[in-house]
């Protein structure tokens, strides 16, 4: 069996926003985080996420979501032919 690419979407701007939310949440739960990790680990993760958000904001980093369909031996996927069908509840 093989796979076929059905869609590729850039999530760069969305991921920058997500990372900023994660940094804010981490900062708001600083003391709670320190019950699990030490201050060094906390700062490393905070810097990593903040720096990554900057990279995504300024197009130095990218991230893509890819939708693949698994094909039968006959070459059929059974997947909807439209995006609307991909996201419809079953």
């Amino acid at each position: 069996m093989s796979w076929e690419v059905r869609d590729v979407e850039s999530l760069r701007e969305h991921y920058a926003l997500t990372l900023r939310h994660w940094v804010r949440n981490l900062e708001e739960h600083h003391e709670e985080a320190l019950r699990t990790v030490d201050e060094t680990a906390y700062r490393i993760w905070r810097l990593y996420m903040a720096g990554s958000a900057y990279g995504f904001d300024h197009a130095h980093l990218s991230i893509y979501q890819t939708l693949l369909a698994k094909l039968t031996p006959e070459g059929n996927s059974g997947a909807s032919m439209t995006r609307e069908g991909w996201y419809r509840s079953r």
Side-chain angles (χ1 to χ4, degrees):
M1 292 198 193
S2 61
W3 296 88
E4 179 177 73
V5 175
R6 287 299 175 109
D7 192 49
V8 177
E9 181 179 10
S10 173
L11 299 177
R12 184 179 60 79
E13 292 96 342
H14 296 282
Y15 211 66
L17 179 63
T18 297
L19 283 162
R20 284 195 300 276
H21 285 293
W22 287 351
V23 168
R24 186 172 53 248
N25 190 50
L26 181 62
E27 290 171 344
E28 290 172 358
H29 295 89
H30 180 226
E31 293 304 318
E32 185 179 340
L34 292 181
R35 289 194 288 265
T36 306
V37 299
D38 63 15
E39 184 70 27
T40 301
Y42 169 86
R43 288 182 182 198
I44 288 169
W45 277 103
R46 184 178 172 276
L47 179 61
Y48 173 77
M49 290 189 293
S52 294
Y54 179 89
F56 284 111
D57 273 335
H58 292 85
H60 299 299
L61 297 172
S62 292
I63 188 167
Y64 299 93
Q65 176 174 283
T66 307
L67 176 65
L68 304 173
K70 190 172 185 179
L71 302 177
T72 66
E74 296 77 31
N76 300 318
S77 70
S80 174
M81 294 177 65
T82 65
R83 281 189 171 131
E84 181 181 298
W86 300 338
Y87 298 112
R88 188 177 329 132
S89 297
R90 293 182 186 231

